[in-house]
């Protein structure tokens, strides 16, 4: 790894000044991590920027070698819901749903007995429903957010965390849809995180078979025409009675968003045929009721449309689950998928409008390695375009990156209660696990650069600065430390202007500066 990096820093347009060694190190921290921490800068100055960068990059591609701090390990180990199985999580959701129904029945009966007290009873019903959700569902989602934020802020394996965010967003699920609320953390742990340096085909299969995706994009409801669920299944699955036919939602997004891309060369007929091939891919709710410890994916041949199909120009004979597996093989290896993934990676890591030559090379690497994501990511990081002057500081931070990078720059640890942070993300239009549609959050400046968003960031910077000043009582030291950490990421005019302001305002002004909004 060390010998292959283009440390000469060629620009993608000839003539641009190459990045200095310190600029490259900070650029790596901004793109392959969530920004610099004071300790990163201290180590950089101790080792020399170039040696530090080589060591940093080597560690990022071998995340197991980057030992997590004991405090982070202890924090994560204390999140008990993160160890629950898929069955246990669905059991929690079922229990909350049953409690809500019981509360509604009880309130309805009370209202009937005393109609004059209707408003009070309605209030009691809502309170009881909120209690059930608060006690059983909310802790799971809160701990999932704690784990994500704690790793993003404190883990030394920063590239892994950036890639987890990228790939979760690529295969987005929405925590506000039924049992996805309790499954979203397991989805990230089981279907995304293990594969960010693995094979794309494996991640594709893991997402396709995870209960969170099966529920979110409705494949659990997709059945062959005329299917009638057995009574015993209807008792295990409350949605069984609604299984009335083909649902194309997952098949459509699988091709449009997860693999080929919107212009990937498929038709509406291909969507319908793929949906037929994926009938029977569902969740085993009976295993969930038995408390199974393993994955709950099930292929149910009774639901499957085993007729012949015509998909992407090929004849597909009825073959049960093997039809869907074949489809994933074809989609993962398709040239359109390679281009789609290459463009999204280059856009996320290099520029909103990535250089076409870079996208072509990444697509070639994707195909040549059969979707080995470590090799593709390495090719991205080894590209001249990644280290070019044009790419330096050219990406506008999303609210998530802005929040995490602010805390890292101030060497803050993750607060015990992350709800204020998740509320800030929600107010900024980027609630954690909260994007409703399967296309995920955009990562281009035009999606996030607007007066209201900038005003919210300035308000967050002011609040964070005031809290730190109250705690430390040394606002001038905080400002000097922050200015040192951000180094050449700040322009000379920003440094000069902020230095002229009162000490108690300087941290807020630095975090609210246009220079810090970019990465």
């Amino acid at each position: 790894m060390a010998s292959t990096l283009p440390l000469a820093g060629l620009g993608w347009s000839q003539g641009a000044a190459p990045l200095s060694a310190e600029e490259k190190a900070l650029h790596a921290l901004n793109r392959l991590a969530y920004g610099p921490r004071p300790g990163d800068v201290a180590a950089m100055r101790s080792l020399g920027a170039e040696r530090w960068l080589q060591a940093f990059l080597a560690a990022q591609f071998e995340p197991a070698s980057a030992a997590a701090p004991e405090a982070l390990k202890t924090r994560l180990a204390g999140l008990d819901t993160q160890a629950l199985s898929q069955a246990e999580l669905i059991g929690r959701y079922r229990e909350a749903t049953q409690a809500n129904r019981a509360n509604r029945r009880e309130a309805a009966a009370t209202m009937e007995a005393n109609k004059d007290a209707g408003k009070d009873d309605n209030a009691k019903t809502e309170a009881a429903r909120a209690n059930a959700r608060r006690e059983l569902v909310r802790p799971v989602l809160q701990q999932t957010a704690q784990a994500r934020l704690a790793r993003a802020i404190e883990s030394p394996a920063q590239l892994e965390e950036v890639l987890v965010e990228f790939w979760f967003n690529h295969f987005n699920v929405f925590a506000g849809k039924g049992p996805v609320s309790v499954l979203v953390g397991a989805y990230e742990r089981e279907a995304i995180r293990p594969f960010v340096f693995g094979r794309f085909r494996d991640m594709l299969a893991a997402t396709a078979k995870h209960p969170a995706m099966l529920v979110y994009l409705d494949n659990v409801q997709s059945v062959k025409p005329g299917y009638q669920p057995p009574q015993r299944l209807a008792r295990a699955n409350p949605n069984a009675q609604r299984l009335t036919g083909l649902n194309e939602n997952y098949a459509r997004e699988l091709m449009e968003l997860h693999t080929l891309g919107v212009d990937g060369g498929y038709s509406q007929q291909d969507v319908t045929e793929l949906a037929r091939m994926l009938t029977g891919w569902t969740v085993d709710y009976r295993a969930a009721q038995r408390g199974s410890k393993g994955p709950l994916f099930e292929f149910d041949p009774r639901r499957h449309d085993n007729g012949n199909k015509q998909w992407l120009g090929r004849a597909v004979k009825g073959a049960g689950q093997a039809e869907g597996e074949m489809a994933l093989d074809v989609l993962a290896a398709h040239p359109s998928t390679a281009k789609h993934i290459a463009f999204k990676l280059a856009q996320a890591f290099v520029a909103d409008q990535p250089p076409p030559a870079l996208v072509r090379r990444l697509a070639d690497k994707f195909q040549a390695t059969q979707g080995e994501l470590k090799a593709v990511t390495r090719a991205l990081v080894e590209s001249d375009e990644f280290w070019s002057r044009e790419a330096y500081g050219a990406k506008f931070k999303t609210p998530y990156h802005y929040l995490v990078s602010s805390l890292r720059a101030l060497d803050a640890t993750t607060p015990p209660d992350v709800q204020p942070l998740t509320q800030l993300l929600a107010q900024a239009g980027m609630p954690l696990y909260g994007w409703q549609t399967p296309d995920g959050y955009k990562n281009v400046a035009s999606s996030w650069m607007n007066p209201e968003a900038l005003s919210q960031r300035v308000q967050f910077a002011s609040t964070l600065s005031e809290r730190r000043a109250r705690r430390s009582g040394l606002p001038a030291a905080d400002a000097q430390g922050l200015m040192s950490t951000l180094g050449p990421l700040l322009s000379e005019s920003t440094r000069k202007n902020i230095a002229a302001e009162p000490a108690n305002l300087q941290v807020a002004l630095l975090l609210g500066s246009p220079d810090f909004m970019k990465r």
Side-chain angles (χ1 to χ4, degrees):
M1 181 72 189
S3 61
T4 57
L5 283 173
L7 290 179
L10 297 174
W12 74 68
S13 65
Q14 296 299 316
L19 300 182
S20 69
E22 189 176 11
E23 285 175 324
K24 287 174 188 163
L26 290 168
H27 182 60
L29 283 165
N30 262 339
R31 295 292 174 88
L32 309 178
Y34 289 108
R37 301 196 79 157
D40 297 322
V41 175
M44 193 188 308
R45 288 172 183 158
S46 173
L47 280 176
E50 190 166 325
R51 281 185 60 199
W52 177 89
L53 177 59
Q54 299 290 359
F56 171 78
L57 292 172
Q60 296 310 303
F61 279 92
E62 298 297 336
S65 69
E70 287 303 318
L72 176 59
K73 290 181 185 175
T74 302
R75 177 78 179 269
L76 295 175
L79 304 177
D80 58 332
T81 66
Q82 301 297 285
L84 296 179
S85 68
Q86 294 176 6
E88 290 169 324
L89 292 166
I90 287 179
R92 271 193 176 227
Y93 182 78
R94 181 186 293 113
E95 191 177 342
T97 303
Q98 290 171 345
N100 287 343
R101 288 175 180 160
N103 291 331
R104 280 200 296 268
R105 286 195 297 271
E106 183 180 344
T110 305
M111 286 176 66
E112 184 62 28
N114 185 3
K115 293 180 180 178
D116 293 337
K119 289 184 179 179
D120 290 342
D121 289 335
N122 283 339
K124 289 176 182 175
T125 301
E126 289 304 317
R129 189 180 307 169
N131 284 340
R133 184 172 179 80
R134 184 163 51 245
E135 292 172 6
L136 295 167
V137 174
R138 190 178 298 174
V140 181
L141 191 53
Q142 286 180 334
Q143 290 193 6
T144 297
Q146 284 184 41
R148 166 74 87 84
L149 287 166
R151 286 190 171 105
I153 295 168
E154 300 176 44
S155 172
Q158 282 281 290
L159 179 56
E160 181 178 45
E161 300 310 311
V162 173
L163 289 171
V164 166
E165 184 200 355
F166 173 85
W167 285 111
F168 182 93
N169 199 51
H170 180 77
F171 292 106
N172 184 54
V173 298
F174 171 49
K177 183 169 180 175
V180 182
S181 56
V182 292
L183 290 166
V184 67
Y187 176 74
E188 184 170 287
R189 288 192 303 277
E190 297 163 357
I192 302 294
R193 183 173 290 279
F195 305 105
V196 297
F197 288 117
R199 291 179 67 230
F200 178 77
R201 170 63 173 85
D202 294 338
M203 190 188 293
L204 188 65
T207 56
K209 296 175 180 176
H210 201 280
M213 182 63 80
L214 290 164
V215 170
Y216 173 57
L217 287 178
D218 305 315
N219 214 67
V220 288
Q221 298 180 30
S222 188
V223 295
K224 66 181 180 183
Y227 171 75
Q228 292 295 324
Q231 286 301 313
R232 57 190 174 82
L233 289 184
R235 286 194 295 272
N237 177 9
N239 295 318
Q241 297 302 331
R242 290 185 283 173
L243 303 179
T244 56
L246 197 65
N247 189 306
E248 298 179 353
N249 286 350
Y250 177 64
R252 178 177 296 104
E253 308 309 353
L254 175 58
M255 288 199 284
E256 178 179 329
L257 299 175
H258 300 169
T259 57
L260 305 180
V262 67
D263 298 319
Y266 62 92
S267 66
Q268 172 55 40
Q269 185 62 28
D270 290 320
V271 172
T272 302
E273 294 294 81
L274 180 57
R276 291 178 63 207
M277 294 159 68
L278 292 169
T279 48
W281 288 46
T282 188
V283 176
D284 187 348
Y285 286 105
R286 289 170 298 163
Q289 281 193 324
R290 293 194 301 269
S292 169
K293 295 297 182 186
L296 293 181
F297 169 76
E298 176 190 34
F299 175 73
D300 183 349
R302 292 163 300 191
R303 300 177 177 213
H304 181 64
D305 179 345
N306 213 41
N308 293 335
K309 293 99 179 171
Q310 189 72 23
W311 177 68
L312 290 181
R314 67 186 67 210
V316 180
K317 292 187 177 181
Q321 182 179 348
E323 297 171 41
E325 298 288 354
M326 181 275 292
L328 295 185
D329 287 340
V330 170
L331 291 171
H334 201 285
S336 293
T337 299
K339 292 176 187 171
H340 182 53
I341 299 300
F343 180 88
K344 290 192 71 172
L345 280 167
Q347 185 179 67
F349 284 88
V350 177
D352 288 1
Q353 296 299 324
L358 173 62
V359 175
R360 282 194 297 274
R361 293 203 308 278
L362 294 180
D364 290 345
K365 178 63 76 172
F366 187 98
Q367 285 205 279
T369 61
Q370 300 179 321
E372 286 288 349
L373 296 179
K374 179 183 281 191
V376 177
T377 307
R378 193 186 292 272
L380 173 71
V381 175
E382 290 176 352
S383 71
D384 291 336
E385 290 90 341
F386 180 84
W387 301 100
S388 67
R389 177 65 63 185
E390 288 89 338
Y392 184 71
K395 290 286 292 183
F396 190 74
K397 292 178 180 177
T398 65
Y400 184 79
H401 199 115
Y402 178 77
L403 175 75
V404 175
S405 64
S406 297
L407 296 170
R408 284 176 57 83
L410 289 169
D411 209 17
T413 55
T414 316
D417 179 8
V418 299
Q419 192 170 356
L421 301 183
T422 56
Q423 287 173 342
L424 281 167
L425 289 172
Q427 290 165 6
M430 197 177 185
L432 196 52
Y433 308 112
W435 187 248
Q436 294 191 26
T437 53
D439 53 344
Y441 291 112
K442 303 291 184 295
N443 62 23
V444 295
S446 58
S447 296
W448 303 110
M449 191 185 292
N450 58 69
E452 184 180 357
L454 296 176
S455 174
Q456 286 173 339
R457 292 186 188 197
V458 170
Q459 181 60 47
F460 167 72
S462 299
T463 303
L464 189 59
S465 170
E466 288 169 6
R467 287 179 181 171
R468 287 186 62 87
R470 282 200 299 271
R471 192 179 309 152
S472 72
L474 297 170
D478 261 359
Q480 285 304 311
L482 183 57
M483 209 172 288
S484 175
T485 298
L486 299 181
L489 295 173
L490 300 173
S491 67
E492 189 55 39
S493 63
T494 296
R495 290 174 173 278
K496 189 178 296 182
N497 291 334
I498 290 176
E501 298 296 331
N504 62 336
L505 298 179
Q506 289 180 2
V507 167
L509 290 170
L510 282 165
L511 296 180
S513 69
D515 295 342
F516 191 72
M517 300 285 179
K518 296 180 178 179
R519 61 184 177 95

